Amino acid sequence: MSNTPNIPDFETLLNALVEALDTAAYSDTVLVGIRRGGAWIVDELHTRLGRSEPPGYIDISFYRDDFAMIGLQPEVGGSELPMSIDGAHVMLVDDVIHTGRTIRAAMNELFDCGRPKKISLASLIEREGHELPIRADICPLQLSLNPNEHVKLLGPEPLAFEVVKRK
Amino acid sequence: MSSSGLRDSHIQLNEDGSLRHFLTIDGLSKSLLTEIMDTAERFIDFGQRKIKKAPLLRGYTIVNLFFEPSTRTRTTFEIAAKRLSADVINLNVQRSSSTKGETLLDTARNLQAMHADMLIIRDSHAGAAHLIATHLGDQVQVVNAGDGRHAHPTQAMLDMFTIRQNKPDFSKLAVAIVGDVLHSRVARSQIQALGVLGVPDIRVIGPNTLIPTDVESLGVSAHTSMDSGLKNVDVVIMLRLQRERMTGQLIASEQEYFKIWGLTQDRFQITNKDAIVMHPGPINRGLEISSSMADSSSSLILPQVTNGIAIRMSVLSMVMSGFGSAGESTDDGVGE
């Protein structure tokens, strides 16, 4: 574990994200979190940014490109978009951006629900290993991990990042 | 009545306990039935979306192989498959009973040779879906859309789902199934599902000629009077009188049947407050149920149809889950 990077605590990363989002450029965005990690973060952002309209949640289970391999993931929670996203500036939020496949799936789902004017992407961590031309617009931490390492957000209470090694 | 149950439940599950085929409720666990309903819950709002589709089953070929007429079941299976982006072929085949078995399996083999990924089968013979799953189950997924008097598991699950939406706690319910239980694969699957989900009071109500003699072995109580049977129930499930399956004189006359066994709003007063009425359809107005009862605010007959789509989307996606090739998925930490 000696070369495993130290990840700043969740609160520090979240504060950095809140600060970046708390600007005029993003004031009219519709917050949409990707379940599960992104949804937890969106709930925090919603409170801390003092937004009045409820946030949206995306469950990408039905849009994943690896369904044939891994099947359905139970207990994710379903999509909820309480607002119309037609013509909206959507701020898509996830905990970690890695390959970009989750974001592709989430964008496909968003477009099945309407036609946003613009989609921006916010995340707490972006790690190397992109497989698609997708990058976060706002992200406090760039991370380089070994291929067998995996970072994930544990939650919902308390929220904390964990780096695990896989065989 | 359920002698083939163990075999069925054995072949319809993968080694890890997930659904491989969907043939019968018999032998399935409470957690699996709950997972089917929970997954359906995630599909329920798809009907309200701008684009009523998810790409989950894109590229898969699903064949609706119906040897018996059907409107609701076939259509909702077709809509469910299309909402999941599968290619759907509908085959409505008139088949004489003399060619049963061989022809059925041959038909299925031919469809399999065309690389169908899933067969949804309705047949007038009990065990039809089971037969195909036994012989071709390693190459094609099989879903039972009703086999003879044996089982109609997706109907039972959409009924359970409809009950849960209105009466969430199965452990507190009294449910009455009324009418032609003898010929009803729906009733059989419902009784099994209600039992698995922990409903403590399951009743069947109907004339002696239409109640199976061994029905109490399924854990239900039999009533031959509407007044006693409907007392204190929360859910009333009316069954269609299946005249096409009746071989002898099992009811005196239709007028007489309605008078004694038909559900009217007057008679419905015997049930608990806020009780609900369901019917798998097609309904015979004025035979099992009065028109005003069927159209009343207590009636969930049309929500049942809508729920049928979500339940079938759930079953199709669960059965196809992990059906593709082995391989490793890359993920971004979602859903963990």
Side-chain angles (χ1 to χ4, degrees), chain A residues 78-90:
Chain A
S79 293
E80 287 170 52
L81 289 173
M83 73 301 281
S84 164
I85 58 162
D86 281 327
H89 181 182
V90 172

Side-chain angles (χ1 to χ4, degrees), chain B residues 28-147:
Chain B
L28 297 184
S29 67
K30 183 177 179 179
S31 67
L32 193 64
L33 300 194
T34 305
E35 188 184 337
I36 291 172
M37 292 189 282
D38 289 347
T39 305
E41 201 82 60
R42 289 155 76 186
F43 284 121
I44 205 83
D45 72 336
F46 262 71
Q48 266 98 53
R49 286 196 180 185
K50 200 165 195 172
I51 295 173
K52 300 178 182 58
K53 255 185 191 303
L56 203 64
L57 300 186
R58 191 164 66 95
Y60 290 109
T61 302
I62 295 179
V63 180
N64 260 329
L65 184 56
F66 276 58
F67 293 103
E68 261 188 0
S70 162
T71 308
R72 250 162 307 274
T73 304
R74 193 189 58 69
T75 310
T76 48
F77 263 119
E78 181 177 355
I79 291 174
K82 285 182 169 170
R83 287 202 179 152
L84 294 169
S85 306
D87 294 315
V88 188
I89 315 293
N90 287 311
L91 288 177
N92 299 312
V93 190
Q94 299 301 317
R95 193 164 59 87
S96 81
S97 60
S98 61
T99 57
K100 97 176 188 198
E102 218 173 48
T103 302
L104 175 67
L105 209 46
D106 273 345
T107 307
R109 283 197 175 108
N110 276 277
L111 294 167
Q112 200 280 317
M114 298 173 203
H115 302 296
D117 297 296
M118 183 190 286
L119 302 179
I120 298 169
I121 298 160
R122 155 143 328 169
D123 196 280
S124 58
H125 301 94
H130 181 265
L131 177 78
I132 293 174
T134 305
H135 288 86
L136 301 174
D138 54 342
Q139 300 154 68
V140 68
Q141 317 301 103
V142 180
V143 172
N144 184 5
D147 61 330

Side-chain angles (χ1 to χ4, degrees), chain A residues 10 13 15 17 21 45 57 96 107 109 122 144-145 157:
Chain A
F10 177 80
L13 290 171
N15 284 336
L17 190 62
L21 282 171
L45 293 176
Y57 307 99
V96 181
M107 288 196 289
E109 177 153 11
S144 180
L145 292 175
E157 197 58 52

Side-chain angles (χ1 to χ4, degrees), chain B residues 129-206:
Chain B
H130 181 265
L131 177 78
I132 293 174
T134 305
H135 288 86
L136 301 174
D138 54 342
Q139 300 154 68
V140 68
Q141 317 301 103
V142 180
V143 172
N144 184 5
D147 61 330
R149 295 190 200 176
H150 175 237
H152 194 353
T154 57
Q155 176 70 46
M157 286 317 298
L158 75 88
D159 295 331
M160 299 307 115
F161 187 58
T162 307
I163 293 173
R164 193 177 79 164
Q165 278 178 337
N166 293 275
K167 312 267 175 197
D169 190 352
F170 284 105
S171 73
K172 293 196 167 75
L173 293 183
V175 179
I177 302 173
V178 184
D180 186 358
V181 179
L182 182 68
H183 297 97
S184 178
R185 56 192 172 210
V186 173
R188 221 154 304 234
S189 290
Q190 285 167 339
I191 290 168
Q192 288 165 348
L194 290 166
V196 171
L197 292 168
V199 172
D201 184 352
I202 312 170
R203 314 173 188 182
V204 295
I205 310 174

